């Protein structure tokens, strides 16, 4: 009887720094993203051959493989393949009627269960993969079980080879190695042959296409020939398409000027040549071929021409018997960009054309339109005046008789959204562009910041003027009264049901901050942190060439606007509410405070730090020989500290070493030079360049991430120590705290000084450190930030291996935890526990709780307007955000506050008073009438 | 109206009379209940006295002389003055038992501990007024000083307790909020190199 009571009591006593159950899924948000899907690796496929329901499979540019439910756009499963953000080609194939999808990236061929994404098998090839195909043999002999896969691999300078992999186990059935050092390009399978296409470089530097046909059963070479592409092919870029797995695979290429199109049916040496119409002098910028992907569908294909302002298409038919290619019909030229998708139904082939405002389907046999749907809206936001264009599309068509009865099309739009059109109406959209976020920042809307400033002004002025100010503010607010009265019932209802308001302007708590994200392809978009399902705007801010890096850095220097600095240019400012570009009048000023008299600017050049004062060199830091700079983290410019000392249990004070000019610098041995893998962590005074603290760690696994953080008067870093003869591989988290003196009540040598100059004297801090063994690697560290810094801190750590983000309370890491003895009474009063070198991540610390957040790379925090709360936003592949209160929500009512109960109690008391009042009066009168 | 005004007011009803008239103690009741033992009603004493004047007259108690009165008053005053000191051990034990945590009970006790001596010292004139005469005024000064001293002891106990509870700003941490961080004369900014 006592035991459960006791345990209940202890539950009440111990503070649990947790995500509360009623807050999970409400205060946090998560976009489980795949990244922009690639056209060649996106398709509809039935995971279960018995049922007709299909899923959308894609392997994205971010290297994420996944299945999406076409009904609502929800993710069914996904797997992260290695080689994220790499330009390596990756492949995804599914055999007809198969319950496996086969992926290929780098040198790994893997098969995944189509239904739940479980790995069926994985095989490594010798070289980098060039192509993967499913072998669809029509002879029926080997059709039992899973279909085999063919992989073409080859690295530069090495021999290319083709392997046939068993569809059920991934075992290699045969390997064929090509002679010569021709670059492997693609593999293609018809019903009887496997064709490998290689590019042979001629002496003049041109490319010739070499076709090797192999026997699918034995892997022996049947035939080999060169196509006479003459001097047309300078690079592999102008090879438009090598059709795969159709009845008659084709190779199509153009010359560099896109003036002629050459088509060869693989297996024959004949080349058909077609002149590309040059409409009205516009040069064709891109030529694409859309061909069906099924072995028993008609061998028709569509060629899609694109100029800067318009697009059109021609449909070609291949005569299977003699290999002749003839042009069947043309689709008219339309303005803007368009996308074509190919779908098959039995042997028939249908082409669907998606333009800005229309969706239409034609049969490959004739140009009669089978279905036409106007698209009024794609249902996504864009920048001001931007026209949303389709980039590529995949369709699933169901045909009844001569008309298309239903069509589902997934379209990647130029805004980076991936949407599904059912007929012509947008059903769902996935903001896949967020998966390529490279920089993000929080910004306050101008109204909210103005409100916060007014409150600040009231708080800091004398009581009388503060009262006058407040009075005038309230009078000014009276003009909003009618609107408020109208919306009042709705607000009350919202308040009770807990449904948040969408209003950005009336955000008194600062939860509705705007997060602006810059993406790898030069776009910028904005999310509302309080209502993240809505993208506020999405616009192109930088015109980047392909593969051009731009390293954007976002900053919000003042309310209502965000500044973007990048390689493309500095000081572009945008209005965060609508994305409008602001005219840059002010010169770009470094984010800073006005108090500082002298400015020291330091910058990191190639493996050295250089600082200048008034454009004269101040100091220089170069790492020890054999070491290179790994990272540099300066203390944040806006890092409020509530108290300059730590109060001990006996009420004495340890003074913190607070200097805004601190930076944590990591140097590591360069992999090419040093035999031992060491990393050194320096705390620098960035005004004088003095090293305040340094620690070196040996035997570090330098391939693992090293995460660093400096804030207030403490620093934290995490690394993976390599396995050695004496110790196993393990992850460590080191935390250090800097004090002015370790003697309580002592402010060190600068006692009593109001200000100080680091160049004259730099008192050295006294540093306490503790190292903790942690269960998994941390890829990035961040710390919660609150408005005044009163709230205790939480260390936010991204855990890439478990796909989670964890918030470690600072007190659990405190470097003042006593070592080798139990905490004394005074230390217990401070909340210090005995030091334990192994730090387990309490499951309650996981901010991402049940969610699986993959591929996170960065995390930023921002203070809300109320002191208790800090906003968190993490990105990478997925996007995750939440708001946390490390010291609990002491200044706002939580969701657990029962408003119904409170109002019910008040109402019940009111009713009770009315009911009881006459009873009491009567009793008092009766009392009067009683004698003795 | 005119007709009715001529009539004399009707006699008040019986219950009004009974209500206004004080109820006479019913003789029957008083008579039937015997007095408790040792209680002598005043009437009985008077009658006994009147009886006794005739017979064996008891000598009336002698009025004390003013000197004696002063001695008595001083004695009484000393008793009063030392009363707070007598409570000290009990208070000290009580304070010790309540612990140093800030709870409503201990806070109330500490409040009472402060309130008692202070109000006692403020009301010192009233306390000793009855015992003070022209002749013993000089002696009374010493008594009052002792009274104040005893109350101060109780107050000291309270301060000791408040200190134990950590409510006195005696340590460095209590004044930490008024200490300011030093301002650096230089500020360093990181400029990324593109």
């Amino acid at each position: 009887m006592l035991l459960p009571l006791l345990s209940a009591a202890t539950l009440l006593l111990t503070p649990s720094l947790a995500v509360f159950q009623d807050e999970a899924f409400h205060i946090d948000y998560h976009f489980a993203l795949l990244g922009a899907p690639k056209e060649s690796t996106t398709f509809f496929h039935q995971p279960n051959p018995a049922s007709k329901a299909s899923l959308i499979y894609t392997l994205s540019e971010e290297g994420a493989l996944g299945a999406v439910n076409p009904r609502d756009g929800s993710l069914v499963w996904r797997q992260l393949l290695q080689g994220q953000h790499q330009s390596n080609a990756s492949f995804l194939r599914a055999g007809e009627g198969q319950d496996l999808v086969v992926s290929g990236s780098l040198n790994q061929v893997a098969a995944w269960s189509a239904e739940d994404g479980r790995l069926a098998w994985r095989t490594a090839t010798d070289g980098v993969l060039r192509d993967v195909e499913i072998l669809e043999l029509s002879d029926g002999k080997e059709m039992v079980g899973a279909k085999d896969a063919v992989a073409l691999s080859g690295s530069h300078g090495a021999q290319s080879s083709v392997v046939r992999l068993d569809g059920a186990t991934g075992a290699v059935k045969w390997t064929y190695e090509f002679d010569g050092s021709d670059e492997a390009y693609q593999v293609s399978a018809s019903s009887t042959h496997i064709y490998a296409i290689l590019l042979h470089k001629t002496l003049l530097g041109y490319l010739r296409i070499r076709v090797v046909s192999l026997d699918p059963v034995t892997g022996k070479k049947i035939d080999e020939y060169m196509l006479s592409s003459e001097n047309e092919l300078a690079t592999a870029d102008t090879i438009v398409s090598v059709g795969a797995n159709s009845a008659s695979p084709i190779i199509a290429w153009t010359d560099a000027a896109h003036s002629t199109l050459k088509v060869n049916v693989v297996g024959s040496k004949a080349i058909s040549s077609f002149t590309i119409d040059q409409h009205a002098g516009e040069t064709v910028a891109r030529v694409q071929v859309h061909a069906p992907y099924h072995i028993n569908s008609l061998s028709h294909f569509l060629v899609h021409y694109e100029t800067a302002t318009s697009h059109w298409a021609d449909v070609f038919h291949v005569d299977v018997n003699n290999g002749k290619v003839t042009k069947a019909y043309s689709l008219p030229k339309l303005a803007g960009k368009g996308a074509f998708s190919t779908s098959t139904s039995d042997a028939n082939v249908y082409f669907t054309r998606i333009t800005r405002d229309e969706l239409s389907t034609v049969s490959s046999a004739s140009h009669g339109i089978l279905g036409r749907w106007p698209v009024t809206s794609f249902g996504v936001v864009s920048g001001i005046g931007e026209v949303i264009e389709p980039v590529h599309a995949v369709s699933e068509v169901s045909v009844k008789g001569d008309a298309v009865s239903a069509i589902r099309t997934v379209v990647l739009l130029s805004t980076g959204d991936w949407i599904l059109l059912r007929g012509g109406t947008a059903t769902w959209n996935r903001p896949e562009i967020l998966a390529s976020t490279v920089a993000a920042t929080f910004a306050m809307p101008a109204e909210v910041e103005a409100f916060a400033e007014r409150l600040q002004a009231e708080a800091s002025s004398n009581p009388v003027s503060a009262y006058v100010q407040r009075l005038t503010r309230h009078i000014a607010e009276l003009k909003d009264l009618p609107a408020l009265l109208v919306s009042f019932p709705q607000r009350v209802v919202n308040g009770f049901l807990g449904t948040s308001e969408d209003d950005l302007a009336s955000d008194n708590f600062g939860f509705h901050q705007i997060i602006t994200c810059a993406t790898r392809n030069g776009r910028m978009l904005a999310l509302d942190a309080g209502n993240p399902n809505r993208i506020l705007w999405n616009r192109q801010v930088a015109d980047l060439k392909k593969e051009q890096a731009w390293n954007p850095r976002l900053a919000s220097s003042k309310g209502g606007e965000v500044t973007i600095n990048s390689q493309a240019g500095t000081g572009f400012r945008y209005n965060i509410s609508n994305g409008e570009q602001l005219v840059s009048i002010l010169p770009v000023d470094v984010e800073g405070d006005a108090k500082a008299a002298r400015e020291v600017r330091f910058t990191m050049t190639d493996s050295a730090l250089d600082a200048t004062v008034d454009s004269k060199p101040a100091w220089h830091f170069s790492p020890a020989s054999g070491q290179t700079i790994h990272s540099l983290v300066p203390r944040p410019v806006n890092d409020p500290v509530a108290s300059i000392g730590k109060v001990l249990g006996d009420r004495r004070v340890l003074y913190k070493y607070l200097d805004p000019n601190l930076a944590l610098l990591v140097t590591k041995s360069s992999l090419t030079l040093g035999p031992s893998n060491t990393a050194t962590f320096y705390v620098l005074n960035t005004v004088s360049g003095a090293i305040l603290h340094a620690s070196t760690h040996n035997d570090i696994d330098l391939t693992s991430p090293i995460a660093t953080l400096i804030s207030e008067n403490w620093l934290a870093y995490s690394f993976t120590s390599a396995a050695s003869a004496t110790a196993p591989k393990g992850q460590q988290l080191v935390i250090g705290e800097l004090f002015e003196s370790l003697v309580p009540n002592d402010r060190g040598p600068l006692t009593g000084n109001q200000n100080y100059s680091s160049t004259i004297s730099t008192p050295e801090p006294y540093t306490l450190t503790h190292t903790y063994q942690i269960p998994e690697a941390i890829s990035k560290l961040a710390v919660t930030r609150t408005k005044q810094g009163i709230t205790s801190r939480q260390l936010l750590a991204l855990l890439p291996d478990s796909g989670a983000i964890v918030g470690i309370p600072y007190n659990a890491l405190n470097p003042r935890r006593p070592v080798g003895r139990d905490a004394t009474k005074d230390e217990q009063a401070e909340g210090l526990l005995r030091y334990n070198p192994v730090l387990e991540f309490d499951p309650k610390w996981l901010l991402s709780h049940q969610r699986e957040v993959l591929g996170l790379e960065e995390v930023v925090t921002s203070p809300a307007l109320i002191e208790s709360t800090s906003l968190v936003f993490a990105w990478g592949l997925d996007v995750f955000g939440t708001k946390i209160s490390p010291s609990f929500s002491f200044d706002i009512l939580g969701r657990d506050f029962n408003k119904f109960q409170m109002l019910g109690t008040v109402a019940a008391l009111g009713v009770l008073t009315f009911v009881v009042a006459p009873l009491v009066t009567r009793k008092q009168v009766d009392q009067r009438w009683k004698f003795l | 109206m005119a007709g009715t005004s001529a009539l004399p007011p009707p006699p008040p009803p019986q219950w009004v009379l009974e209500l206004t008239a004080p109820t006479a103690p019913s003789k029957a009741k008083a008579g039937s209940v015997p007095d408790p033992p040792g209680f002598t009603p005043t009437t009985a004493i008077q009658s006994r006295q009147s009886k006794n004047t005739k017979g064996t007259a008891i000598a009336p108690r002698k009025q004390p002389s003013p000197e004696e009165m002063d001695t008595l008053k001083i004695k009484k005053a000393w008793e009063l003055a030392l009363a707070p000191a007598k409570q000290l051990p009990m208070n000290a034990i009580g304070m010790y038992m309540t612990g140093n945590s800030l709870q409503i009970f201990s806070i109330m006790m500490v409040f009472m501990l402060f309130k008692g001596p202070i109000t006692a010292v403020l009301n010192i004139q009233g306390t000793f007024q009855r015992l003070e005469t022209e002749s013993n005024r000089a002696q009374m000064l010493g008594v009052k000083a002792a009274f104040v001293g005893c109350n101060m002891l109780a107050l000291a106990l309270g301060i000791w307790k408040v200190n134990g509870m950590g409510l006195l700003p005696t340590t460095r941490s209590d004044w930490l909020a008024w200490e300011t961080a030093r301002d650096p004369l230089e500020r360093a900014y990181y400029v990324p190199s593109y």
Side-chain angles (χ1 to χ4, degrees):
Chain A
M1 181 58 215
L2 255 173
L3 207 64
L5 269 179
L6 265 177
S7 56
T10 47
L11 269 181
L12 286 174
L13 286 174
T14 47
S16 56
L17 288 156
V19 178
F20 292 110
Q21 198 171 16
D22 57 344
E23 287 183 335
F25 296 105
H26 287 286
I27 59 163
D28 51 4
Y29 52 91
H30 173 210
F31 292 104
L33 299 173
L34 292 164
K38 292 201 289 187
E39 184 171 16
S40 61
T41 55
T42 305
F43 47 81
F44 281 90
H45 178 69
Q46 282 106 10
N48 186 355
S51 95
K52 274 195 77 96
S54 58
L55 298 177
I56 306 161
Y57 293 87
T58 188
L59 177 56
S60 71
E61 280 167 10
E62 312 292 329
L65 162 68
V68 169
N69 192 334
R71 198 154 35 84
D72 53 1
S74 61
L75 197 67
V76 182
W77 57 265
R78 73 181 156 157
Q79 298 281 354
L80 267 188
L81 303 185
Q82 58 198 104
Q84 202 179 352
H85 303 326
Q86 286 172 1
S87 53
N88 279 310
S90 52
F91 314 96
L92 183 68
R93 309 280 183 245
E96 212 176 336
Q98 294 277 290
D99 58 356
L100 289 180
V101 289
V102 178
S103 73
S105 76
L106 291 179
N107 63 342
Q108 298 274 344
V109 184
W112 314 86
S113 161
E115 204 145 10
D116 53 13
R118 292 205 183 133
L119 181 69
W121 50 262
R122 193 204 297 266
T123 306
T125 55
D126 294 335
V128 177
L129 281 174
R130 300 288 165 169
D131 198 8
V132 174
E133 284 300 340
I134 303 284
L135 209 51
E136 308 256 7
L137 294 175
S138 60
D139 52 3
K141 272 192 290 187
E142 296 185 55
M143 290 298 276
V144 191
K147 289 177 183 170
D148 290 358
V150 187
L152 176 72
S153 62
S155 325
H156 269 289
Q159 275 194 329
S160 310
S161 59
V162 171
V163 288
R164 175 169 171 177
L165 304 170
D166 187 279
T169 63
V172 176
K173 283 193 169 171
W174 51 255
T175 307
Y176 177 80
E177 292 201 346
F178 299 102
D179 48 343
S181 61
D182 292 345
E183 198 184 336
Y185 189 69
Q186 210 156 350
V187 70
S188 178
S190 77
S191 47
T192 50
H193 291 76
I194 292 174
Y195 299 103
I197 288 98
L198 295 96
L199 300 180
H200 177 77
K201 220 169 184 113
T202 61
L203 284 173
L204 289 168
Y206 293 106
L207 294 173
R208 296 186 75 188
I209 296 167
R210 176 180 162 199
V211 180
V212 181
S213 61
L214 303 171
D215 185 300
V217 180
T218 61
K220 295 278 182 301
K221 183 162 88 176
I222 298 172
D223 190 18
E224 175 175 347
Y225 60 91
M226 287 275 193
L227 285 180
S228 54
S229 52
E230 300 307 323
N231 298 341
E232 286 151 358
L233 278 175
T235 60
D237 293 342
T238 53
I239 299 178
V240 179
S241 152
V242 178
N245 279 26
S246 62
S248 50
I250 54 157
I251 306 175
W253 69 94
T254 67
D255 55 341
H258 298 298
S259 59
T260 42
L261 174 76
K262 301 276 177 89
V263 180
N264 162 252
V265 176
V266 179
S268 76
K269 286 179 190 169
I271 297 171
S272 316
S273 184
F274 302 94
T275 320
I276 299 171
D277 301 338
Q278 300 290 351
H279 286 264
E282 285 177 292
T283 50
V284 175
R286 210 161 80 130
V287 179
Q288 283 173 284
V289 169
H290 299 269
Y293 204 76
H294 286 290
I295 204 142
N296 38 15
S297 52
L298 294 171
S299 47
H300 299 168
F301 63 93
L302 177 142
V303 182
H304 169 195
Y305 308 98
E306 200 176 282
T307 69
T309 55
S310 61
H311 71 281
W312 68 97
D314 291 336
V315 174
F316 294 89
H317 290 180
V318 180
D319 192 328
V320 187
N321 300 324
N322 57 12
K324 251 185 95 171
V325 182
T326 50
K327 181 174 162 182
Y329 62 91
S330 291
L331 291 173
K333 178 175 163 178
L334 289 177
K337 290 202 165 46
F340 290 90
S341 68
T342 314
S343 25
T344 52
S345 170
D346 300 327
N348 296 321
V349 179
Y350 301 95
F351 297 115
T352 305
R353 180 183 202 173
I354 298 103
T355 63
R356 289 170 181 177
D357 46 16
E358 198 186 60
L359 192 82
S360 57
T361 302
V362 292
S363 161
S364 68
S366 74
H367 64 276
I369 286 176
L370 301 180
R372 189 197 287 271
W373 300 267
V375 179
T376 48
S377 148
F378 288 116
V380 297
V381 289
S382 65
I384 300 161
E386 186 186 349
V387 181
I388 305 171
E389 314 257 20
V391 176
H392 64 72
V394 178
S395 311
E396 192 183 46
V397 181
S398 76
V399 183
K400 286 222 177 77
D402 257 357
V404 175
S405 61
I407 181 165
R408 290 195 291 194
T409 314
V410 268
V411 189
L412 179 72
L413 299 174
S414 55
T415 55
D417 294 283
W418 200 31
I419 65 159
L420 183 123
L421 296 172
R422 181 175 289 139
T425 48
T427 321
W428 50 256
N429 73 68
R430 293 176 57 86
E432 299 292 353
I433 190 166
L434 282 172
S436 63
T437 303
V438 284
T441 189
F442 283 96
M444 282 281 191
E447 302 87 357
V448 177
E449 186 166 280
F451 177 69
E453 270 169 8
R454 275 205 307 274
L455 288 184
Q456 187 70 38
E458 278 171 22
S460 56
S461 55
N462 72 53
V464 177
S465 66
Y467 181 74
V468 172
Q469 272 188 16
R470 175 159 293 199
L471 210 63
T472 49
R473 178 163 66 86
H474 284 180
I475 289 168
E477 277 172 0
L478 269 183
K479 71 176 196 297
D480 301 329
L481 190 67
L484 183 80
L485 284 180
V486 169
S487 65
F488 194 68
Q490 188 58 43
R491 282 179 63 150
V492 168
V493 169
N494 282 348
F496 271 109
L497 301 180
T499 46
S500 63
E501 299 163 67
D502 294 349
D503 195 3
L504 276 173
S506 71
D507 172 27
N508 293 346
F509 300 136
F511 294 160
H512 283 272
Q513 293 187 25
I514 291 175
I515 305 162
T516 45
C517 307
T519 66
R520 203 171 297 119
N521 57 359
R523 291 189 78 88
M524 191 154 87
L525 58 158
L527 299 171
D528 174 4
N531 184 14
N533 290 325
R534 192 168 52 130
I535 291 175
L536 300 174
W537 49 268
N538 177 349
R539 64 171 290 168
Q540 191 82 35
V541 293
D543 197 16
L544 299 175
K545 292 180 186 69
K546 216 180 166 209
E547 305 294 323
Q548 184 190 348
W550 68 308
N551 293 335
R553 278 159 45 91
L554 296 172
S556 176
S557 45
K558 100 188 215 292
E561 62 183 57
V562 65
T563 313
I564 183 162
N565 294 317
S566 71
Q567 284 180 346
T570 54
F572 292 108
R573 299 185 305 139
Y574 296 91
N575 183 333
I576 54 162
S577 326
N578 56 14
E580 215 171 335
Q581 182 163 13
L582 301 168
V583 188
S584 217
I585 313 160
L586 298 163
V588 188
D589 56 339
V590 183
E591 37 186 338
D593 47 356
K595 275 188 288 179
R598 288 172 76 196
E599 278 189 4
V600 180
R601 287 162 186 267
F602 63 104
T603 181
M604 194 161 75
T605 53
D606 294 337
S607 72
L609 289 183
D610 279 298
T612 52
V613 187
D614 309 329
S615 68
K616 284 194 289 289
W619 53 266
H620 172 84
F621 179 96
S622 55
S625 67
Q627 302 261 316
T628 53
I629 292 179
H630 174 264
S631 66
L632 173 78
V633 207
R635 196 181 146 195
V637 172
N638 181 17
D639 189 17
V641 176
S643 167
I644 62 164
K646 288 217 150 178
V647 178
L648 305 182
D650 55 3
R651 295 164 64 209
R652 291 186 297 168
V653 181
L654 267 187
Y655 284 93
K656 297 174 185 172
Y657 187 85
L658 289 172
D659 190 332
N661 306 313
L662 291 182
L664 179 61
L665 177 78
V666 187
T667 67
K668 63 175 185 180
S669 43
S670 43
L671 287 170
T672 49
L673 286 174
S676 64
N677 292 329
T678 64
T680 310
F681 298 84
Y682 298 97
V683 178
L684 298 180
N685 182 318
T686 49
V687 167
S688 64
I691 296 171
L692 303 176
H693 172 79
S695 59
T696 304
H697 297 268
N698 294 319
D699 294 328
I700 284 184
D701 181 4
L702 291 178
T703 53
S704 302
I706 297 175
T708 53
L709 170 72
I710 187 162
S711 173
E712 219 177 318
N713 66 326
W714 53 272
L715 57 125
Y717 54 87
S718 149
F719 56 86
T720 303
S721 54
S724 67
T726 51
K729 187 169 174 165
Q731 285 79 28
Q732 292 180 20
L733 176 63
V734 180
I735 190 140
E737 192 162 4
L738 313 176
F739 292 102
E740 292 196 348
S741 165
L742 288 183
V743 180
N745 292 356
D746 179 26
R747 281 198 80 170
L750 292 176
T751 311
N753 287 21
Q754 281 306 304
N755 49 32
Y756 67 102
S757 166
S758 301
T759 48
I760 296 165
S761 69
T762 310
E764 289 201 357
Y766 292 83
T767 311
L768 297 178
T769 57
H770 265 342
T771 304
Y772 295 91
Q773 194 82 32
I774 50 171
E776 55 182 308
I778 292 174
S779 66
K780 193 81 193 173
L781 282 169
V783 67
T784 56
R785 294 167 64 193
T786 53
K787 198 159 175 58
Q788 285 151 326
I790 299 166
T791 307
S792 58
R793 306 276 184 147
Q794 256 185 37
L795 212 68
L796 304 178
L798 298 184
L799 310 177
D801 294 335
S802 54
I805 174 168
V806 70
I808 309 165
Y810 182 78
N811 217 29
L813 300 168
N814 202 324
R816 293 184 48 246
R817 282 175 68 174
V819 182
R821 61 178 172 85
D822 283 329
T824 61
K825 212 160 192 173
D826 281 344
E827 284 168 339
Q828 278 173 354
E830 277 185 80
L832 295 175
L833 299 171
R834 184 186 178 137
Y835 168 68
N836 183 3
V838 177
L839 181 81
E840 291 294 335
F841 292 147
D842 192 328
K844 284 180 287 190
W845 296 348
L846 287 179
L847 302 179
S848 51
H849 52 95
Q850 291 179 30
R851 301 182 191 271
E852 191 189 30
V853 193
L854 290 184
L856 287 189
E857 283 167 2
E858 289 277 347
V859 54
V860 287
T861 55
S862 168
L865 284 184
I866 55 170
E867 171 56 29
S868 69
T869 309
S870 173
L871 304 181
V872 180
F873 183 74
W875 72 91
L877 175 67
D878 282 5
V879 166
F880 175 80
T882 184
K883 50 176 189 271
I884 51 177
S885 320
S887 301
F888 303 111
S889 47
F890 53 80
D891 47 8
I892 187 171
L893 286 178
R895 288 182 68 88
D896 54 337
F897 183 77
N898 196 336
K899 292 174 186 164
F900 278 114
Q901 194 179 20
M902 186 200 70
L903 272 200
T905 313
V906 170
L909 282 177
V911 169
L912 219 65
T913 315
F914 276 105
V915 172
V916 169
L919 291 178
V920 172
T921 339
R922 206 167 68 212
K923 196 169 179 199
Q924 278 172 344
V925 172
D926 283 355
Q927 204 91 51
R928 277 285 181 79
W929 281 95
K930 225 164 244 169
F931 300 106
L932 280 177
Chain B
M1 283 283 263
T4 49
S5 65
L7 284 169
Q14 184 59 31
W15 66 268
V16 173
L17 294 177
E18 280 176 4
L19 193 67
T20 46
T23 48
S26 60
K27 289 276 161 57
K29 264 187 193 167
S32 61
V33 179
D35 286 332
F39 177 76
T40 41
T42 43
T43 47
I45 291 169
Q46 281 166 1
S47 59
R48 209 184 292 164
Q49 273 180 347
S50 59
K51 266 185 251 167
N52 285 351
T53 43
K54 292 175 206 156
T56 52
I58 291 170
R61 204 164 57 140
K62 207 181 89 191
Q63 289 293 320
S65 66
E67 290 78 31
E68 279 172 336
M69 276 302 277
D70 273 1
T71 327
L72 277 175
K73 281 183 174 175
I74 292 292
K75 214 173 155 189
K76 183 75 187 157
W78 273 112
E79 259 173 46
L80 269 178
L82 294 179
K86 284 178 187 156
Q87 286 180 358
L88 268 182
M90 198 198 72
N91 270 338
I93 289 171
M95 288 297 132
Y96 171 73
M97 298 298 266
T98 48
N100 283 340
S101 56
L102 282 179
Q103 284 161 355
I104 185 76
F105 190 67
S106 53
I107 290 172
M108 292 259 286
M109 280 193 70
V110 170
F111 178 71
M112 297 310 286
L113 200 64
F114 273 92
K115 192 188 158 209
I118 290 170
T119 47
V121 170
L122 287 179
N123 295 334
I124 190 164
Q125 291 303 342
T127 315
F128 292 101
Q129 200 177 27
R130 288 186 300 113
L131 305 174
E132 198 167 6
T133 55
E134 289 292 326
S135 49
N136 67 0
R137 184 148 296 160
Q139 283 169 301
M140 268 320 224
L141 272 178
V143 175
K144 282 180 185 173
F147 182 73
V148 171
C150 289
N151 277 311
M152 285 304 126
L153 276 180
L155 211 62
L157 178 72
I159 288 170
W160 167 77
K161 172 74 179 171
V162 166
N163 186 38
M165 289 165 90
L167 295 178
L168 289 187
T170 52
T171 57
R172 190 73 171 256
S173 60
D174 299 312
W175 306 98
L176 188 61
W178 282 270
E179 289 186 65
T180 50
R182 287 186 282 268
D183 292 322
L185 288 176
E186 300 94 357
R187 191 77 176 82
Y189 297 103
Y190 178 64
V191 185
S193 60
Y194 285 115

